[in-house]
Amino acid sequence: MAQPQRELFVIGSDQLGFANATFSWNPRGTFLAISGDKRQVHIFDRRGKLYYHITLPTPEFPHDERMSGTRALQWDASGELLAILPRGNSFAIVWTASTRDIAQSEAGFKAQEA
């Protein structure tokens, strides 16, 4: 018999805003990356404690501000690297969990939102 799911923690609109959130658990289940409409990515540990946050740069081109500040959040297979595609920008951001380093990579996106 399957055990009922339990609530681990709650992330409110004070951190995310009111848009639909974009989120991604890393493969090891140790971090949750989440972004709402406030142009920030919050990274929480598995107990809900804020581990790191990234303020996204100002958009380069117009976008729907009612949507999440990111187009995508994706962890690599090891759970060490998080790729962030900020909405309204033509580059990707890569965050490294162990060092908390942030790098920007030109992705060559067009100024067109999908």
Side-chain angles (χ1 to χ4, degrees):
M1 176 179 220
Q3 293 189 11
Q5 295 182 4
R6 64 183 176 94
E7 186 176 278
L8 297 176
F9 55 91
V10 176
I11 303 168
S13 60
D14 56 322
Q15 291 175 306
L16 297 176
F18 295 97
N20 290 334
T22 302
F23 68 95
S24 180
W25 280 100
N26 80 341
R28 292 184 269 175
T30 53
F31 293 114
L32 171 68
I34 189 163
S35 174
D37 63 4
K38 292 191 172 188
R39 298 208 55 84
Q40 293 188 4
V41 175
H42 301 282
I43 301 163
F44 295 92
D45 69 15
R46 71 175 73 185
R47 291 175 183 83
K49 182 179 177 193
L50 182 62
Y51 182 79
Y52 199 77
H53 81 272
I54 300 164
T55 300
L56 300 174
T58 303
E60 299 168 321
F61 52 87
H63 68 286
D64 186 346
E65 293 184 10
R66 298 170 296 174
M67 299 182 77
S68 171
T70 57
R71 292 178 57 89
L73 298 169
Q74 181 68 49
W75 294 93
D76 75 328
S78 72
E80 175 66 11
L81 301 174
L82 173 66
I84 303 165
L85 298 178
R87 192 172 298 282
N89 294 97
S90 61
F91 53 83
I93 295 170
V94 179
W95 178 75
T96 305
S98 61
T99 62
R100 299 183 184 189
D101 287 338
I102 298 173
Q104 186 172 305
S105 175
E106 289 303 317
F109 299 132
K110 303 288 184 204
Q112 176 182 4
E113 289 284 310

